[in-house]
């Protein structure tokens, strides 16, 4: 009896993982699209059963059995992705997450490894169940005959029928083969295409039609924070004193009280902040990312610098690579200050981007061993540590003709003890402020609070202004379009809380 239960549990486990990645299918079971949801579950169930029979046939030969094991491991990785997204982010999988995986690096993966313990255990269990089921079918059910041969090919044939249907009948998904037993494959195919398109920006150096109005500020510095919620900053009214040094500088700052990010993950939000590409174009015209602030600074005679404590990521690094000077430094964020001190000694106009680790998950790993958290949890403590780094930067630039623009790439949504990268208004609320050195001309020194809702894509025309250029009369931040994790542009107001 136990032998027969395991194959049933394996099928149920696969379909459960599938629904975890596409929760809307489960939600629609009680709605108007109930029949379509049932059809989707049935189709994937049929393909998975066919997959099991296919591999059971391969198991009958010791050489083809190796192929079966590989196919099963790949499918189990598919399930691992689903369970990881559910247990870590309480979310389904999407193209944005596929981009993050492809652009991840060893250090980043290791820093988040503790979050994958439970999904990893489930992965091992599923692999065992899957191989047991295939072996059981080989010994007790499947034989070499026409019937099982046809069943074994269904999982390979159905995707082509789906392709034809979506291309020539309903044309959903732009004719992509969107249904496969490896149901995350289309997300990764889309992500790979995005990476290829983003690489195009390196080959396209644009000419900007800009007008110089007045001498610019000598040192224009943009600090890109990471995963910092303004809700957890005392600068924005948080009850815990997480930004004591920045709080003292408020009289020398322009603070944007209601700033929001244009996307929920770094790989989307930072390119949108640094370039003039519109969210509506991001999915199809990545070559337009060449119209970015680094190329603009280079054209008008600013010496450009990119200094980062974050490891390279293709989308962002493509823009960073256009800097005349670039450096990735190892260590905690405080190591970036000595690098800045070296740069500002140069006697020329400079545009400097500092990309810091900030509160990137795992926030506990962003803190030096000697750092005193003073009773704060790791996330709040990482914000206080960033404030400590900002204080060093302020001291370095105090007696200079420098402006510092600071904004986080995105925020986070908190559910229990989880810090989530999801599409929500809560996770878009970010700190955004401008700080002025003592020698900044009065024409640029505008301080106070701006209470209006503003998107951090405003950074692009703001930098133009500080470089002495005529800013565009209208810019994309006015529309407040948000690029969601499915790579679709939407009105920010329609985003869930």
């Amino acid at each position: 009896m136990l032998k027969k239960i395991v194959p049933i549990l394996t099928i149920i486990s696969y379909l459960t993982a599938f629904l975890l990645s596409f929760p809307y299918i489960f939600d629609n079971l009680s709605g108007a699209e109930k029949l379509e949801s049932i059809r989707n579950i049935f189709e994937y169930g049929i393909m998975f059963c066919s997959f099991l029979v296919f591999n059971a046939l391969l198991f009958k030969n010791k050489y083809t059995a190796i192929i079966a094991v590989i196919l099963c491991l790949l499918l189990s990785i598919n399930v691992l992705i689903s369970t990881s997204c559910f247990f870590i982010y309480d979310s389904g999988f999407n193209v944005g997450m596929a981009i993050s995986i492809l652009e991840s690096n060893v250090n980043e993966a290791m820093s988040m490894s503790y979050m994958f313990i439970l999904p990893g255990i489930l992965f091992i269990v599923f692999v065992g169940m899957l191989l047991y089921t295939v072996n059981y079918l080989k010994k007790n059910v499947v034989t070499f005959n026409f019937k099982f041969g046809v069943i074994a090919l269904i999982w390979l044939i159905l995707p082509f029928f789906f392709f034809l249907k979506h291309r020539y009948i309903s044309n959903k998904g732009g004719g992509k083969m969107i249904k496969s037993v490896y149901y995350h494959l289309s997300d990764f195919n889309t992500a790979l295409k995005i990476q290829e398109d983003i690489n195009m920006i390196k080959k396209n150096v644009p000419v900007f039609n800009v007008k110089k109005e007045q001498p610019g500020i000598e040192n224009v510095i943009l600090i890109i924070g990471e995963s910092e919620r303004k809700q957890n900053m005392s600068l924005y009214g948080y009850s815990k004193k997480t930004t004591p040094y920045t709080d003292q500088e408020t009289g020398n700052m322009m603070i944007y009280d209601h700033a929001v990010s244009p996307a929920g993950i770094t790989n989307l939000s930072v390119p949108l902040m640094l370039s003039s590409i519109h969210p509506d174009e991001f999915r199809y015209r990545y070559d337009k990312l060449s119209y970015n602030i680094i190329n603009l600074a280079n054209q008008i005679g600013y010496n450009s610098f990119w200094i980062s404590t974050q490891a390279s990521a293709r989308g962002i690094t493509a823009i960073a690579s256009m800097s005349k000077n670039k450096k990735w430094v190892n260590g905690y964020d405080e190591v970036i200050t000595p690098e800045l001190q070296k740069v500002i000694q140069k006697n020329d106009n400079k545009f400097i981007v500092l990309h810091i680790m900030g509160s990137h998950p795992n926030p506990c790993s962003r803190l030096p061993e000697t750092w005193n958290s003073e009773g704060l949890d790791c996330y709040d403590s990482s914000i206080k540590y960033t404030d400590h780094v900002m204080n060093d930067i302020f001291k370095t630039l105090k007696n200079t003709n420098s402006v510092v623009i600071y904004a986080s790439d995105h925020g986070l949504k908190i559910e229990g003890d989880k810090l989530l990268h999801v599409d929500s208004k809560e996770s878009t609320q970010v700190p955004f402020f401008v700080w002025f050195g003592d020698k900044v001309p009065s024409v640029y020194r505008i301080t106070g609070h701006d209470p209006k809702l503003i998107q951090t894509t405003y950074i692009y025309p703001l930098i133009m202004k500080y470089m002495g250029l005529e800013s565009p009369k209208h810019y994309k931040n006015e529309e407040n379009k948000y690029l969601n994790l499915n790579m679709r542009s939407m009105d920010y107001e329609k985003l869930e809380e």
Side-chain angles (χ1 to χ4, degrees):
M1 184 66 181
L2 179 62
K3 293 180 179 180
K4 295 181 180 180
I5 291 176
V6 174
I8 295 172
L9 289 176
T10 303
I11 296 171
I12 293 173
S13 298
Y14 173 81
L15 291 176
T16 300
F18 164 70
L19 291 174
L20 291 179
S21 270
F22 303 97
Y24 65 88
I25 293 177
F26 180 80
D27 294 338
N28 289 341
L29 284 173
S30 58
E33 298 181 1
K34 176 171 62 178
L35 292 179
E36 184 174 350
S37 290
I38 293 174
R39 178 176 56 79
N40 273 297
I41 295 171
F42 178 76
E43 288 170 346
Y44 280 95
I46 289 294
M47 285 191 292
F48 181 61
C49 289
S50 170
F51 176 85
L52 293 175
V53 172
F54 181 88
N55 285 282
L57 290 174
L58 292 180
F59 254 44
K60 288 182 177 292
N61 179 281
K62 64 179 181 179
Y63 299 108
T64 56
I66 297 173
I67 299 174
V69 171
I70 294 172
L71 291 174
C72 289
L73 286 174
L74 291 174
L75 188 80
S76 299
I77 292 173
N78 201 79
V79 171
L80 171 64
I81 292 171
S82 297
T83 54
S84 296
C85 288
F86 177 77
F87 286 108
I88 296 173
Y89 301 117
D90 193 22
S91 170
F93 191 69
N94 48 54
V95 174
M97 291 179 178
I99 294 174
S100 292
I101 291 173
L102 292 173
E103 296 190 351
S104 187
N105 54 75
V106 175
N107 290 336
E108 185 173 12
M110 290 300 294
S111 72
M112 299 178 69
S113 60
Y114 77 100
M115 304 172 78
F116 293 92
I117 295 175
L118 178 57
I121 294 172
L122 294 176
F123 166 76
I124 294 171
V125 171
F126 184 79
V127 170
M129 291 171 60
L130 184 56
L131 293 176
Y132 176 89
T133 298
V134 170
N135 190 55
Y136 172 81
L137 293 175
K138 179 200 82 169
K139 292 180 177 179
N140 301 285
V141 180
V142 176
T143 59
F144 281 111
N145 59 39
F146 179 78
K147 179 181 73 173
F148 283 111
V150 172
I151 294 173
L153 293 176
I154 289 175
W155 76 281
L156 294 171
I157 295 172
L158 272 184
F160 290 98
F161 282 105
F162 294 136
F163 171 82
L164 294 174
K165 174 196 169 188
H166 285 281
R167 179 153 192 169
Y168 298 110
I169 300 176
S170 61
N171 200 31
K172 291 181 180 178
K176 297 182 184 299
M177 192 183 298
I178 61 170
K179 291 185 180 179
S180 163
V181 69
Y182 296 98
Y183 48 82
H184 290 318
L185 184 60
S186 63
D187 292 320
F188 281 101
N189 284 337
T190 301
L192 285 169
K193 180 62 169 64
I194 290 169
Q195 286 185 325
E196 292 174 5
D197 289 339
I198 285 181
N199 285 336
M200 293 169 58
I201 73 174
K202 292 184 177 180
K203 303 175 183 177
N204 179 27
V205 181
V207 176
F208 296 87
N209 183 19
V210 291
K211 179 182 177 182
K212 190 82 170 178
E213 289 188 323
Q214 56 196 3
I217 295 174
E218 181 181 353
N219 302 309
V220 180
I221 298 153
L222 170 64
I223 303 177
I224 304 172
E226 171 68 54
S227 302
E228 185 164 22
R229 290 164 45 94
K230 79 168 191 179
Q231 301 97 314
N232 290 63
M233 300 174 66
S234 53
L235 179 68
Y236 286 91
Y238 188 47
S239 58
K240 299 177 182 179
K241 203 70 173 173
T242 53
T243 55
Y245 295 114
T246 308
D247 295 346
Q248 295 174 12
E249 296 291 326
T250 55
N252 190 38
M253 292 163 52
M254 168 57 73
I255 303 172
Y256 297 92
D257 295 328
H258 293 99
V260 296
S261 62
I265 60 173
T266 311
N267 302 5
L268 302 182
S269 62
V270 172
L272 284 169
M273 288 162 57
L274 299 185
S275 74
S276 59
I277 192 173
H278 194 279
D280 292 345
E281 303 171 313
F282 202 95
R283 190 179 180 93
Y284 306 104
R285 290 301 310 275
Y286 306 103
D287 59 306
K288 287 193 174 182
L289 284 176
S290 59
Y291 287 85
N292 59 67
I293 200 66
I294 299 289
N295 275 336
L296 176 61
N298 292 339
Q299 179 179 311
I300 66 169
Y302 268 73
N303 195 3
S304 55
F305 296 81
W306 186 286
I307 307 172
S308 176
T309 54
Q310 289 215 23
S312 60
R314 289 183 193 171
I316 298 168
T317 307
I319 295 177
S321 64
M322 297 173 191
S323 298
K324 295 177 181 177
N325 309 272
K326 38 199 170 285
K327 187 171 186 179
W328 281 264
V329 290
N330 295 321
Y332 298 103
D333 283 339
E334 60 195 50
V335 302
I336 216 161
T337 307
E339 299 296 332
L340 176 63
Q341 291 169 346
K342 296 175 189 175
V343 169
I344 63 167
Q345 292 175 9
K346 300 178 184 292
N347 187 25
D348 57 2
N349 286 339
K350 295 169 285 293
F351 174 56
I352 307 164
V353 178
L354 305 177
H355 192 194
I356 63 175
M357 288 298 291
S359 301
H360 191 294
N362 171 19
C364 297
S365 301
R366 309 305 162 207
L367 305 169
E369 292 182 4
T370 56
W371 178 251
N372 184 2
S373 294
E374 299 177 337
L376 299 173
D377 63 26
C378 285
Y379 184 74
D380 282 348
S381 189
S382 69
I383 291 177
K384 191 166 185 176
Y385 176 66
T386 296
D387 181 70
H388 163 74
V389 175
M390 294 295 294
N391 182 49
D392 288 344
I393 292 173
F394 293 154
K395 288 180 178 178
T396 298
L397 301 172
K398 179 173 176 54
N399 295 315
T400 65
N401 181 9
S402 304
V403 61
V404 174
I405 305 166
Y406 176 82
S408 183
D409 54 357
H410 55 78
L412 295 166
K413 186 177 181 67
I414 294 182
E415 289 188 0
D417 60 351
K418 294 181 179 179
L419 301 171
L420 307 178
H421 292 72
V422 296
D423 292 323
S424 71
K425 287 183 178 176
E426 179 184 343
S427 56
T428 63
Q429 297 180 48
V430 292
F432 178 22
F433 59 78
V434 180
W435 177 92
F436 301 98
D438 290 346
K439 295 183 179 179
V440 170
S442 58
V443 66
Y444 291 115
R445 188 185 294 274
I446 301 174
T447 60
H449 288 260
D450 189 331
K452 299 188 299 294
L453 180 71
I454 190 168
Q455 193 179 77
T456 52
T457 51
Y458 176 60
I459 284 173
Y460 188 96
L462 188 61
I463 289 172
M464 291 181 66
K465 170 186 171 183
Y466 292 140
M467 289 180 175
L469 302 175
E470 180 183 27
S471 301
K473 293 181 180 178
H474 298 284
Y475 195 63
K476 62 185 178 184
N477 65 284
E478 297 173 344
E479 299 176 44
N480 208 9
K481 286 290 188 76
Y482 178 85
L483 188 63
N484 66 26
L485 290 174
N486 287 317
M487 305 294 293
R488 303 292 182 184
S489 175
M490 60 183 292
D491 291 333
Y492 177 78
E493 291 303 324
K494 294 181 179 179
L495 197 60
E496 66 177 35
E497 294 296 332

